[in-house]
Amino acid sequence: MEDCKMCMVPQIQLDVNHMMSATLGERGISEQEVAALRDAAEKAYENVRAHRGQGWLGWTELPYNQEAVIADIEKTAAEVRKQFDTFVVLGIGGSALGPIAVQQALNHLHYNELPAEKRGGPRFYVEDNIDPERMAALFDVIDVKTTCFNVITKSGGTAETMSQYLIFTDALKKAVGDDWAKHIITTTGADRGNLIKLTRENGFKHFIVPDGVGGRYSEMCPVGLFPAAVCGIDIRAMLKGAACMDKRCQSGDVWQNPALMEAVLQYIATERGMNVQAVMPYADSLKYMADWFCQLWAESLGKNVTRDGKPCNVGQTPTKALGVTDQHSQLQLYTEGPYDKVITLIKVGAFRSTVEIPHGCEEFHDVAFLGGKTLNQLIEAERQGTEYALLKAGRMSQTITLPCVNAGTIGQLMYFFELTTAYEGELLNIDAFNQPGVEESKVASYAVLGNEAEKYRAKQEEMAKRPALSDKYIF
Ligand code: PA5
């Protein structure tokens, strides 16, 4: 694997051998099928290239255009690290999954449990749900007097996040009185929603979610960068990694652009009935990267109308699994269940720890043979075992290798997935940047809660007309 000249870390690698008929046999994708999509792929590339930095493609420029904001993030993060012992992100969906994934990838796997001097930054929590038990549990482990809350919502009005805002501002006012606003840092859109108004009204320190950066594409802006910096992550290296991947994807030729090749292969696979993509990192550090990817892929591509207004129902369903844990849970289905999945294995070349397995149990050969090996060898052997089992069963799989997990490779990986998603949206001819399907449930839940505004009252009336439930079906 080559070193990237920009981020000075080895490049991540996409190996699609096991997607292709040359390796997988008749269930694989042939080069002719890829060639047949050459024009469509070029067009997808060209559309994304031509609109770089514009409209909802604002995120494509994030690796390059944030010098001033990065300086502000670093300065503010340093202050937070000095002043607070706990840092809580309030946000949901795209305003939470990136921070969670990056923290898990780049910090100690038991970060919060480390003693303060080893941690180097505040304890870190992301409240991305409104489960009352979880909220009560958080209050049991934090002291609001020494906690900084980063309220993240691009729209500035998401019910989950704003209800959390109300809960914590109330708690802060009771605990620290007039100083309450010093505990709040907001990250929100510049000119819409209530949070920016509250920010101005209360003088909160704040960061702006730039225009053209949707929630699930926002990890490389203050949404993701600020929490990462607070926890000591090298955000400049992350951005360099993203820029490095961007540079590798500057071609309309699928053989020269890994994200474009990936989009084309997933497009063909889905056309062939592989309606599911299971992302299976073989590393706990990447466990939540799979969650982040699932939202990106699902919310971007699950659409019922094409850009030119024709009805469609498209989108490959992403699911997550963890190697090796899910070998003992999901793999049976992946190898012998329906031929409807692509398995994306994520491999780590060099783990940050090495654990040797001691010798012992000499009387039991199958136990004893493990002695003298490392867990590093075992996890990779099991990944290769899974890859082989999938191959033998005629299942499409691919492997993304991170030579090591660091800020540079994580930046590459996230940008790779974002770009792949944008190309996939082009191939499907849908808008990969909206989420109208989410709106219905939002409006319906406000109606259920009895919001008096006209749109919710109308929804209440509509909901009252739904079919009555029959006791017959309730057990
Ligand atoms: O990707 C998206 O746009 C969504 O998942 C949003 O991030 C999510 O709904 C939260 O929205 P907001 O950041 O406006 O609170």
Side-chain angles (χ1 to χ4, degrees):
M1 259 171 245
E2 280 177 49
D3 270 16
C4 168
K5 311 284 175 291
M6 291 183 57
C7 52
M8 304 312 285
V9 293
Q11 294 181 351
I12 71 167
Q13 182 189 72
L14 171 69
D15 178 349
V16 296
N17 271 286
H18 290 211
M19 297 289 290
M20 309 300 290
S21 55
T23 310
L24 191 61
E26 64 183 15
R27 290 193 180 276
I29 296 169
S30 68
E31 288 191 23
Q32 287 82 345
E33 284 173 279
V34 174
L37 279 175
R38 196 182 56 200
D39 291 351
E42 267 177 24
K43 192 170 155 214
Y45 167 78
E46 192 45 39
N47 281 350
V48 172
R49 194 204 59 76
H51 295 99
R52 265 191 87 93
Q54 301 163 31
W56 284 109
L57 282 166
W59 55 270
T60 54
E61 289 297 320
L62 293 175
Y64 312 105
N65 65 4
Q66 297 188 95
E67 200 41 55
V69 84
I70 290 165
D72 188 14
I73 286 174
E74 287 173 338
K75 182 170 163 279
T76 312
E79 282 159 16
V80 169
R81 288 158 71 84
K82 243 189 267 149
Q83 286 168 24
F84 297 99
D85 69 23
T86 306
F87 181 79
V88 178
V89 168
L90 309 178
I92 195 164
S95 292
L97 289 163
I100 295 171
V102 165
Q103 170 72 4
Q104 175 82 2
L106 297 176
N107 261 329
H108 192 284
L109 289 173
H110 292 290
Y111 175 87
N112 278 354
E113 284 98 274
L114 286 175
E117 60 284 4
K118 280 204 174 162
R119 224 188 305 122
R123 289 186 302 153
F124 178 71
Y125 298 92
V126 181
E127 285 305 286
D128 68 339
N129 202 358
I130 43 168
D131 178 332
E133 289 183 21
R134 176 166 161 184
M135 179 57 75
L138 182 68
F139 272 106
D140 286 339
V141 296
I142 67 168
D143 178 355
V144 292
K145 291 197 197 90
T146 54
T147 300
C148 174
F149 297 90
N150 183 199
V151 190
I152 309 181
T153 162
K154 172 163 172 100
S155 61
T158 299
E160 294 87 344
T161 308
M162 295 315 291
S163 57
Q164 292 174 335
Y165 169 87
L166 288 170
I167 290 166
F168 286 111
T169 50
D170 180 61
L172 280 168
K173 283 173 189 168
K174 287 175 181 148
V176 299
D178 288 347
D179 279 345
W180 71 276
K182 294 185 188 145
H183 290 244
I184 298 205
I185 298 176
T186 61
T187 307
T188 190
D191 47 22
R192 67 186 183 114
N194 294 320
L195 192 58
I196 192 69
K197 293 181 200 140
L198 288 162
T199 295
R200 292 200 189 104
E201 207 171 289
N202 296 295
F204 300 141
K205 168 69 197 159
H206 69 283
F207 296 102
I208 294 298
V209 185
D211 286 344
V213 179
R216 53 195 178 272
Y217 297 85
S218 66
E219 178 51 30
M220 303 288 163
C221 81
V223 169
L225 297 180
F226 178 54
V230 167
C231 294
I233 288 165
D234 182 351
I235 57 173
R236 288 178 191 267
M238 257 172 70
L239 290 166
K240 272 191 187 163
C244 153
M245 179 52 68
D246 186 34
K247 294 281 178 293
R248 284 178 70 188
C249 297
Q250 298 291 334
S251 171
D253 173 359
V254 289
W255 298 98
Q256 305 297 326
N257 179 338
L260 192 57
M261 174 59 103
E262 172 64 359
V264 164
L265 292 180
Q266 294 309 323
Y267 180 85
I268 297 171
T270 313
E271 291 272 286
R272 296 254 216 105
M274 306 308 137
N275 290 315
V276 178
Q277 182 181 170
V279 177
M280 189 171 189
Y282 272 71
D284 276 61
S285 62
L286 301 176
K287 182 175 172 176
Y288 297 120
M289 205 47 80
D291 275 9
W292 173 82
F293 169 77
C294 283
Q295 189 222 4
L296 178 69
W297 200 245
E299 204 164 293
S300 300
L301 303 178
K303 298 289 151 72
N304 68 4
V305 64
T306 63
R307 281 226 189 89
D308 32 8
K310 299 204 182 79
C312 68
N313 292 102
V314 296
Q316 186 190 45
T317 303
T319 68
K320 54 183 177 158
L322 179 66
V324 305
T325 308
D326 282 310
Q327 284 182 208
H328 300 269
S329 162
Q330 306 294 305
L331 189 57
Q332 174 62 31
L333 175 72
Y334 296 173
T335 51
E336 293 191 6
Y339 283 93
D340 63 352
K341 294 173 201 67
V342 173
I343 317 300
T344 300
L345 306 172
I346 307 186
K347 167 184 165 178
V348 173
F351 285 85
R352 288 163 288 193
S353 303
T354 301
V355 175
E356 283 179 15
I357 306 170
H359 290 283
C361 301
E362 301 304 337
E363 64 280 34
F364 302 107
H365 171 262
D366 284 353
V367 181
F369 97 104
L370 295 167
K373 304 202 169 47
T374 61
L375 287 185
N376 309 52
Q377 287 171 298
L378 183 57
I379 195 168
E380 172 53 12
E382 296 210 30
R383 192 201 63 77
Q384 288 183 25
T386 295
E387 189 178 56
Y388 177 71
L390 292 167
L391 174 69
K392 193 170 168 195
R395 309 301 165 130
M396 286 184 191
S397 77
Q398 55 179 358
T399 298
I400 299 172
T401 301
L402 274 64
C404 54
V405 178
N406 65 22
T409 56
I410 289 299
Q412 292 175 54
L413 182 69
M414 295 181 98
Y415 199 86
F416 166 77
F417 279 139
E418 288 174 350
L419 215 41
T420 301
T421 307
Y423 292 144
E424 193 74 7
E426 292 296 328
L427 292 170
L428 293 167
N429 189 26
I430 49 95
D431 184 343
F433 305 107
N434 65 4
Q435 51 283 325
V438 180
E439 187 62 13
E440 181 65 26
S441 105
K442 278 193 193 170
V443 177
S445 50
Y446 267 40
V448 171
L449 261 188
N451 189 309
E452 288 296 305
E454 180 48 35
K455 107 168 159 184
Y456 305 114
R457 280 227 302 276
K459 188 56 68 181
Q460 277 162 8
E461 282 163 27
E462 181 193 304
M463 288 171 80
K465 291 188 201 132
R466 71 193 139 160
L469 301 184
S470 163
D471 284 346
K472 189 166 83 178
Y473 299 132
I474 300 175
F475 299 94

